[in-house]
Amino acid sequence: MKIFNTLTRQKEEFVPLEEGKVKMYVCGPTVYNLIHIGNARPMIIFDTVRRYLEYKGYEVNYVSNFTDVDDKIIKKAIEEGVSAEEISQRYIEECKKDMAGMNVKPATTHPQATQEIDGMISMIQTLVDKGYAYAVADGTVYFRVKKFKEYGKLSHKNLDDLQSGFRALQVSGEDQKEDPLDFVLWKPKKEGEPYWTSPWCDGRPGWHIECSVMSKKYLGDEIDIHAGGEDLIFPHHENEIAQSECCNDKIFARYWMHNAFLNIDNRKMSKSLGNFRTVREISEQYDLQVLRFFMLNAHYRSPLNFSADLMESSKNALERITEAAGRLKDRKEKASAVELTEAEKKLLAEAEGYVKKFEEAMEDDFNTADALAAVFELVKFANTNVTEESSAAFAEGILEILVKLCDVLGLVAVKKEEILDKEIEDLIAERQEARKAKNFARADEIRDELLAKGIILKDTREGVKWKRA
Ligand SMILES: [Zn+2]
């Protein structure tokens, strides 16, 4: 499997630190508003990377944070007259709803910056002790960039160029810095802001230190893949590398993956242009599966343009997949022949060829556009070869392949049958009756039937409880 590594600017063979396991960190959103479709791109892309790694049999520890202390959150809290925590908690919940709609799996851990302050203070202290950081009179702590000789290795910038660029930008309030390149690790509180006590001053962490600390805590000093949008390469990821490698004396991440940006109608998404689109707005018009399809139908390292036309064609294309899956399901249920014929066995083996094509595309730096092309070839194959004469086993075999490939991409080919609360309660009541009548076979049958629909029963002292899986 090859991954394009921003660090080396080339595709490299993926070799995990530990066999069979992948440690992956993806920078998450700052939670002060509903997420927009620019935030959605890395969520969908790296969820797909994770799904493919899992499909390949890796155990993936996937960590993605919520930045819940930030100027924008504080500003919004002041505007609404509520606490910063209320704002961040509200938008974490909303973000999770959008993620579920896009079929993005919850991370193994979703740490929140405000819950990890102790770790940040401890890492900053280590950096101070090692001479990589220093506090100035007002209690601000800065990272001493020039002391880390490899600074700039991810963004491929050299220190001299950075220096001249920064001199022009130097802000008068930052005079206390030893060097214009130095960045903030800890800053003093301002009136009305959330703050924590530290050895340097009452204040709060800088943004970059948050990810270094959360990655270290939940994944360890060395990780396999660190990912995010390409706008994070500099300075955010460059600074994360500086902090983590100077603190831990280890290579922070082996592979750095970045998705390209998303434009709207060929223009950059910006507040001033008023062309911001939230995922929630899209969901009012489309199933979010369509948005997912749209994102995957381009290579993640290519800029992507969002337009109404492209969403319409994504919707139609996705329907071709779900309609084919629906037909296969129907054929499977209605077929009179059960067993595979010899001819069908051959065709089924032929269909496996599309799996190979799909995998080849994904192995080549997650080329989801080509992987989707393989899915469409399979759809065409199914539409041609699965007919009214086909056996149930054949229709089922092709359907299984289609569902499996779609699942890797996080696309739902066959919607689970919805079961209503009332139906569940009725079946539970029937099961209770069956048990009373000592008809345990029927009781078990009902339990299995519910389980197949994703309903888990639990017998407790207070009676039967159930939940959706
Ligand atoms: Zn980050």
Side-chain angles (χ1 to χ4, degrees), residues 25-28 65 207-208 211 226 232 236-237 240:
Y25 188 96
V26 182
C27 291
N65 65 297
W207 170 39
H208 315 301
C211 289
H226 194 118
L232 298 183
H236 185 54
H237 287 164
E240 281 188 40

PDB file of all heavy atoms in Angstrom, residues 25-28 65 207-208 211 226 232 236-237 240, ligand 1:
ATOM      1  N   TYR A  25      -3.710   9.926  13.829  1.00  0.00           N
ATOM      2  CA  TYR A  25      -4.255  11.143  14.453  1.00  0.00           C
ATOM      3  C   TYR A  25      -4.722  12.107  13.363  1.00  0.00           C
ATOM      4  O   TYR A  25      -3.976  12.403  12.428  1.00  0.00           O
ATOM      5  CB  TYR A  25      -3.177  11.825  15.310  1.00  0.00           C
ATOM      6  CG  TYR A  25      -3.704  12.978  16.138  1.00  0.00           C
ATOM      7  CD1 TYR A  25      -4.076  12.790  17.467  1.00  0.00           C
ATOM      8  CD2 TYR A  25      -3.836  14.251  15.599  1.00  0.00           C
ATOM      9  CE1 TYR A  25      -4.573  13.838  18.234  1.00  0.00           C
ATOM     10  CE2 TYR A  25      -4.338  15.306  16.350  1.00  0.00           C
ATOM     11  CZ  TYR A  25      -4.699  15.096  17.667  1.00  0.00           C
ATOM     12  OH  TYR A  25      -5.193  16.145  18.421  1.00  0.00           O
ATOM     13  N   VAL A  26      -5.946  12.574  13.500  1.00  0.00           N
ATOM     14  CA  VAL A  26      -6.486  13.520  12.528  1.00  0.00           C
ATOM     15  C   VAL A  26      -6.947  14.772  13.268  1.00  0.00           C
ATOM     16  O   VAL A  26      -7.746  14.696  14.201  1.00  0.00           O
ATOM     17  CB  VAL A  26      -7.690  12.914  11.760  1.00  0.00           C
ATOM     18  CG1 VAL A  26      -8.218  13.906  10.719  1.00  0.00           C
ATOM     19  CG2 VAL A  26      -7.301  11.608  11.089  1.00  0.00           C
ATOM     20  N   CYS A  27      -6.401  15.930  12.866  1.00  0.00           N
ATOM     21  CA  CYS A  27      -6.777  17.180  13.535  1.00  0.00           C
ATOM     22  C   CYS A  27      -8.263  17.448  13.307  1.00  0.00           C
ATOM     23  O   CYS A  27      -8.742  17.436  12.177  1.00  0.00           O
ATOM     24  CB  CYS A  27      -5.955  18.347  13.008  1.00  0.00           C
ATOM     25  SG  CYS A  27      -4.231  18.207  13.505  1.00  0.00           S
ATOM     26  N   GLY A  28      -8.952  17.699  14.405  1.00  0.00           N
ATOM     27  CA  GLY A  28     -10.401  17.903  14.329  1.00  0.00           C
ATOM     28  C   GLY A  28     -10.760  19.380  14.320  1.00  0.00           C
ATOM     29  O   GLY A  28      -9.888  20.252  14.360  1.00  0.00           O
ATOM     30  N   ASN A  65      -9.355  15.046  17.580  1.00  0.00           N
ATOM     31  CA  ASN A  65      -9.696  15.932  18.704  1.00  0.00           C
ATOM     32  C   ASN A  65     -10.812  16.919  18.367  1.00  0.00           C
ATOM     33  O   ASN A  65     -11.161  17.142  17.213  1.00  0.00           O
ATOM     34  CB  ASN A  65      -8.461  16.736  19.093  1.00  0.00           C
ATOM     35  CG  ASN A  65      -8.045  17.674  17.970  1.00  0.00           C
ATOM     36  OD1 ASN A  65      -7.694  17.252  16.878  1.00  0.00           O
ATOM     37  ND2 ASN A  65      -8.145  18.963  18.216  1.00  0.00           N
ATOM     38  N   TRP A 207      -2.767  26.797  20.412  1.00  0.00           N
ATOM     39  CA  TRP A 207      -3.488  25.743  19.678  1.00  0.00           C
ATOM     40  C   TRP A 207      -2.583  24.551  19.353  1.00  0.00           C
ATOM     41  O   TRP A 207      -2.972  23.382  19.524  1.00  0.00           O
ATOM     42  CB  TRP A 207      -4.061  26.370  18.402  1.00  0.00           C
ATOM     43  CG  TRP A 207      -4.635  25.427  17.402  1.00  0.00           C
ATOM     44  CD1 TRP A 207      -5.376  24.301  17.651  1.00  0.00           C
ATOM     45  CD2 TRP A 207      -4.531  25.533  15.975  1.00  0.00           C
ATOM     46  NE1 TRP A 207      -5.746  23.706  16.464  1.00  0.00           N
ATOM     47  CE2 TRP A 207      -5.238  24.438  15.430  1.00  0.00           C
ATOM     48  CE3 TRP A 207      -3.926  26.449  15.110  1.00  0.00           C
ATOM     49  CZ2 TRP A 207      -5.343  24.232  14.049  1.00  0.00           C
ATOM     50  CZ3 TRP A 207      -4.036  26.248  13.743  1.00  0.00           C
ATOM     51  CH2 TRP A 207      -4.735  25.147  13.218  1.00  0.00           C
ATOM     52  N   HIS A 208      -1.355  24.806  18.899  1.00  0.00           N
ATOM     53  CA  HIS A 208      -0.502  23.719  18.404  1.00  0.00           C
ATOM     54  C   HIS A 208      -0.171  22.672  19.465  1.00  0.00           C
ATOM     55  O   HIS A 208      -0.126  21.485  19.173  1.00  0.00           O
ATOM     56  CB  HIS A 208       0.798  24.284  17.824  1.00  0.00           C
ATOM     57  CG  HIS A 208       0.590  25.465  16.948  1.00  0.00           C
ATOM     58  ND1 HIS A 208      -0.199  25.420  15.822  1.00  0.00           N
ATOM     59  CD2 HIS A 208       1.035  26.757  17.040  1.00  0.00           C
ATOM     60  CE1 HIS A 208      -0.212  26.625  15.253  1.00  0.00           C
ATOM     61  NE2 HIS A 208       0.521  27.442  15.976  1.00  0.00           N
ATOM     62  N   CYS A 211      -2.573  19.406  20.074  1.00  0.00           N
ATOM     63  CA  CYS A 211      -2.525  18.173  19.286  1.00  0.00           C
ATOM     64  C   CYS A 211      -1.315  17.324  19.653  1.00  0.00           C
ATOM     65  O   CYS A 211      -1.410  16.096  19.722  1.00  0.00           O
ATOM     66  CB  CYS A 211      -2.531  18.485  17.795  1.00  0.00           C
ATOM     67  SG  CYS A 211      -4.137  19.089  17.236  1.00  0.00           S
ATOM     68  N   HIS A 226      -0.324  10.945  10.585  1.00  0.00           N
ATOM     69  CA  HIS A 226      -0.925  12.178  11.095  1.00  0.00           C
ATOM     70  C   HIS A 226      -1.550  12.869   9.889  1.00  0.00           C
ATOM     71  O   HIS A 226      -0.914  12.984   8.848  1.00  0.00           O
ATOM     72  CB  HIS A 226       0.141  13.057  11.741  1.00  0.00           C
ATOM     73  CG  HIS A 226      -0.434  14.175  12.573  1.00  0.00           C
ATOM     74  ND1 HIS A 226      -0.210  14.289  13.917  1.00  0.00           N
ATOM     75  CD2 HIS A 226      -1.253  15.197  12.249  1.00  0.00           C
ATOM     76  CE1 HIS A 226      -0.852  15.350  14.385  1.00  0.00           C
ATOM     77  NE2 HIS A 226      -1.490  15.919  13.388  1.00  0.00           N
ATOM     78  N   LEU A 232      -3.270  23.081   7.167  1.00  0.00           N
ATOM     79  CA  LEU A 232      -2.662  22.869   8.486  1.00  0.00           C
ATOM     80  C   LEU A 232      -1.157  22.573   8.421  1.00  0.00           C
ATOM     81  O   LEU A 232      -0.487  22.540   9.447  1.00  0.00           O
ATOM     82  CB  LEU A 232      -3.360  21.709   9.218  1.00  0.00           C
ATOM     83  CG  LEU A 232      -4.848  21.895   9.532  1.00  0.00           C
ATOM     84  CD1 LEU A 232      -5.366  20.692  10.315  1.00  0.00           C
ATOM     85  CD2 LEU A 232      -5.081  23.166  10.347  1.00  0.00           C
ATOM     86  N   HIS A 236       0.647  24.900  11.660  1.00  0.00           N
ATOM     87  CA  HIS A 236       0.170  23.987  12.713  1.00  0.00           C
ATOM     88  C   HIS A 236       0.962  22.679  12.797  1.00  0.00           C
ATOM     89  O   HIS A 236       1.503  22.338  13.849  1.00  0.00           O
ATOM     90  CB  HIS A 236      -1.326  23.712  12.517  1.00  0.00           C
ATOM     91  CG  HIS A 236      -1.939  22.880  13.602  1.00  0.00           C
ATOM     92  ND1 HIS A 236      -1.856  23.211  14.933  1.00  0.00           N
ATOM     93  CD2 HIS A 236      -2.627  21.708  13.562  1.00  0.00           C
ATOM     94  CE1 HIS A 236      -2.468  22.295  15.657  1.00  0.00           C
ATOM     95  NE2 HIS A 236      -2.946  21.366  14.854  1.00  0.00           N
ATOM     96  N   HIS A 237       1.044  21.955  11.695  1.00  0.00           N
ATOM     97  CA  HIS A 237       1.725  20.658  11.767  1.00  0.00           C
ATOM     98  C   HIS A 237       3.235  20.802  11.923  1.00  0.00           C
ATOM     99  O   HIS A 237       3.882  19.988  12.591  1.00  0.00           O
ATOM    100  CB  HIS A 237       1.366  19.807  10.546  1.00  0.00           C
ATOM    101  CG  HIS A 237      -0.046  19.280  10.612  1.00  0.00           C
ATOM    102  ND1 HIS A 237      -0.710  18.780   9.525  1.00  0.00           N
ATOM    103  CD2 HIS A 237      -0.904  19.197  11.662  1.00  0.00           C
ATOM    104  CE1 HIS A 237      -1.932  18.399   9.901  1.00  0.00           C
ATOM    105  NE2 HIS A 237      -2.065  18.650  11.183  1.00  0.00           N
ATOM    106  N   GLU A 240       3.643  21.298  15.524  1.00  0.00           N
ATOM    107  CA  GLU A 240       3.415  20.043  16.260  1.00  0.00           C
ATOM    108  C   GLU A 240       4.680  19.176  16.223  1.00  0.00           C
ATOM    109  O   GLU A 240       5.078  18.585  17.231  1.00  0.00           O
ATOM    110  CB  GLU A 240       2.265  19.248  15.633  1.00  0.00           C
ATOM    111  CG  GLU A 240       0.875  19.733  16.003  1.00  0.00           C
ATOM    112  CD  GLU A 240      -0.186  18.765  15.492  1.00  0.00           C
ATOM    113  OE1 GLU A 240       0.025  17.537  15.564  1.00  0.00           O
ATOM    114  OE2 GLU A 240      -1.228  19.235  14.993  1.00  0.00           O
TER     115      GLU A 240
HETATM  116 ZN    ZN B   1      -3.793  19.529  15.156  1.00  0.00          ZN
END
